[in-house]
Amino acid sequence: MVNGHDVLRRENDLTWRKEIVPRVFQIVSTRISLPQRDLITLLLTSPWLNQALVSCSSLWQVLDFHEESNAGDRLIRALKLPRYHHVRHINLEFGRIEDEHLHLLKNKRSESLQDLETLNLNVCQKISDKGIQAVTSVCPNLKSFSIYWNVRVTDLGIKKLSQNCRHLVNLNLSGCQSITDVGLNSIADNYPELEVLNLTRCTKLTDDGLQQILLKCSKLQSLNLYALSRFTDEAYKKIALLPNLKFLDLCGAQNLSDQGLSCIAECKNLTDLNLTWCVRVTDVGVEAIAQGCSSLEFLRRWCSLFGIVGVTDNCLEALSRFCSNTLTTLDVNGCIGIKRRSRDELLQLFPNLKCFKVHS
């Protein structure tokens, strides 16, 4: 025979499992970021917890299938579930996905992508212009698009992207070696609000394309031109047109001279600069940067003046005069004209210095 105490205990236990635990999880989950796998596991814990978590839409705004061998299939299945109908971020980096999956998204899951803001297709090398056209046609609110190291995407894919997604502010085309100035013109004409652009190793680009970007995308804050040796001072001088620029990677800019660097020094908000292997640069250019960019924090976190044999202690002294309160990282590895210094000597020049690399 069940007594009143047992009944009360069972009722309290049921209330705890049915109401209190789900409510606690719902509150906690909005304040911390739970991994996708953990969220799925929690759904299986109890029907009440399942209901509470599913009703919290902020938990289901991310789909991460990076490095998954069946990323495309999993993405299609996930977007079929009502809880993912307002997904905002999709990461498929290094995942196995093909054009056919992106066409399925367009034809059968388009309603789930209307709020998508971030799409990462880095190293998804089976994606072509056709896939780009298909998926971007159903992502009108996309703000960040990354397709690092894809040699199949051409100017046509970039044209379709710029026509379909008009609100892009972050674009990573690093390693997309089939893109030419035609693609850059599409970007320049359609993205005046662009803030971040990565063109690393897009080796077919010339001054003409870059100048269109610099003339029309004046709100750029980050520009990565790593390993692009075809540009000349004619284009580099126009970097001065970017008043909000904070990050600039010019590693391998073999044609950059002191004159071009002196123009870049007009970017007063620059904090992070990579001049690795800019072999034509001398003290004159670095001193102009030191004087013009007093907010400089990093002459690149890893490499800065690395490999520039034309600089001497004069540029170091100029950096000390104008950037001593902000500079925390400086790499002069390979700069044979800069003498060795003790830790105390360096801290006298740069009180906030945390990392200093010298040549061996």
Side-chain angles (χ1 to χ4, degrees):
M1 181 175 178
V2 180
N3 58 39
H5 179 74
D6 290 335
V7 171
L8 181 61
R9 181 172 57 80
R10 290 177 183 176
E11 288 178 349
N12 289 338
D13 184 55
L14 182 61
T15 299
W16 175 262
R17 288 185 288 114
K18 187 176 180 179
E19 299 179 15
I20 298 177
V21 171
R23 181 57 183 157
V24 168
F25 266 101
Q26 193 174 39
I27 293 173
V28 170
S29 61
T30 60
R31 289 166 169 74
I32 61 175
S33 179
L34 294 175
Q36 187 171 295
R37 185 173 297 178
D38 292 346
L39 278 173
I40 301 301
T41 302
L42 287 173
L43 290 179
L44 305 176
T45 304
S46 76
W48 303 292
L49 186 56
N50 182 301
Q51 183 178 7
L53 293 178
V54 168
S55 67
C56 187
S57 60
S58 62
L59 294 177
W60 311 103
Q61 294 181 356
V62 177
L63 278 171
D64 189 349
F65 297 123
H66 77 281
E67 299 183 356
E68 296 282 349
S69 60
N70 58 345
D73 294 334
R74 292 190 63 187
L75 178 64
I76 299 297
R77 290 198 299 269
L79 290 177
K80 186 177 181 180
L81 301 172
R83 64 175 179 265
Y84 287 117
H85 282 187
H86 297 284
V87 66
R88 293 181 183 272
H89 310 283
I90 295 178
N91 183 7
L92 300 167
E93 186 172 63
F94 283 95
R96 183 175 179 179
I97 184 168
E98 303 179 11
D99 284 345
E100 133 184 30
H101 293 110
L102 300 184
H103 280 284
L104 280 173
L105 290 180
K106 175 185 177 182
N107 296 329
K108 296 186 177 182
R109 302 287 183 265
S110 61
E111 71 285 350
S112 299
L113 299 177
Q114 296 301 302
D115 296 325
L116 190 68
E117 295 179 359
T118 304
L119 179 59
N120 185 339
L121 294 175
N122 286 344
V123 203
C124 297
Q125 297 184 346
K126 293 190 175 182
I127 301 299
S128 72
D129 291 336
K130 293 180 180 179
I132 299 301
Q133 180 177 359
V135 71
T136 59
S137 68
V138 291
C139 303
N141 293 302
L142 199 65
K143 294 180 180 179
S144 177
F145 182 72
S146 185
I147 193 162
Y148 164 85
W149 207 253
N150 185 315
V151 296
R152 300 183 65 190
V153 172
T154 72
D155 295 331
L156 177 60
I158 301 306
K159 179 181 179 181
K160 296 301 180 182
L161 167 70
S162 61
Q163 290 175 343
N164 294 331
C165 305
R166 307 308 294 265
H167 305 292
L168 218 61
V169 294
N170 188 325
L171 179 58
N172 183 358
L173 300 177
S174 174
C176 295
Q177 297 183 356
S178 298
I179 294 172
T180 73
D181 290 343
V182 175
L184 282 196
N185 288 336
S186 295
I187 295 169
D189 289 339
N190 290 282
Y191 295 127
E193 304 295 317
L194 195 65
E195 297 177 359
V196 179
L197 179 61
N198 190 337
L199 299 174
T200 294
R201 298 189 190 278
C202 294
T203 53
K204 291 185 178 180
L205 304 179
T206 72
D207 281 354
D208 292 340
L210 180 58
Q211 287 182 89
Q212 289 302 305
I213 292 290
L214 300 175
L215 289 168
K216 298 178 180 179
C217 301
S218 61
K219 295 189 178 181
L220 276 172
Q221 297 180 24
S222 174
L223 180 60
N224 197 325
L225 303 177
Y226 182 98
L228 297 174
S229 59
R230 297 180 66 183
F231 298 140
T232 71
D233 273 349
E234 184 179 354
Y236 291 133
K237 289 177 181 178
K238 290 185 172 58
I239 293 177
L241 298 174
L242 305 178
N244 302 311
L245 193 65
K246 296 179 180 179
F247 175 97
L248 178 61
D249 193 333
L250 295 174
C251 175
Q254 298 178 9
N255 297 317
L256 176 66
S257 73
D258 290 332
Q259 189 176 10
L261 195 54
S262 296
C263 291
I264 293 172
E266 295 180 26
C267 298
K268 304 300 183 183
N269 292 310
L270 199 63
T271 61
D272 197 329
L273 176 63
N274 186 0
L275 296 175
T276 298
W277 294 117
C278 296
V279 293
R280 294 183 61 194
V281 169
T282 71
D283 288 339
V284 174
V286 179
E287 289 173 12
I289 285 291
Q291 187 168 356
C293 305
S294 57
S295 297
L296 206 63
E297 296 176 9
F298 306 95
L299 264 177
R300 200 63 176 106
R301 291 177 176 83
W302 304 284
C303 307
S304 61
L305 306 177
F306 184 104
I308 307 179
V309 297
V311 295
T312 69
D313 280 336
N314 290 335
C315 78
L316 211 61
E317 292 167 3
L319 287 169
S320 176
R321 283 198 306 273
F322 298 105
C323 305
S324 61
N325 292 325
T326 56
L327 199 64
T328 61
T329 303
L330 178 61
D331 187 346
V332 294
N333 192 15
C335 302
I336 58 177
I338 294 179
K339 71 177 184 180
R340 289 179 175 273
R341 285 174 169 80
S342 68
R343 180 178 180 275
D344 290 339
E345 287 175 323
L346 288 172
L347 289 176
Q348 286 181 356
L349 292 172
F350 307 104
N352 296 312
L353 198 65
K354 297 178 181 178
C355 180
F356 182 82
K357 299 182 180 180
V358 297
H359 59 86
S360 57

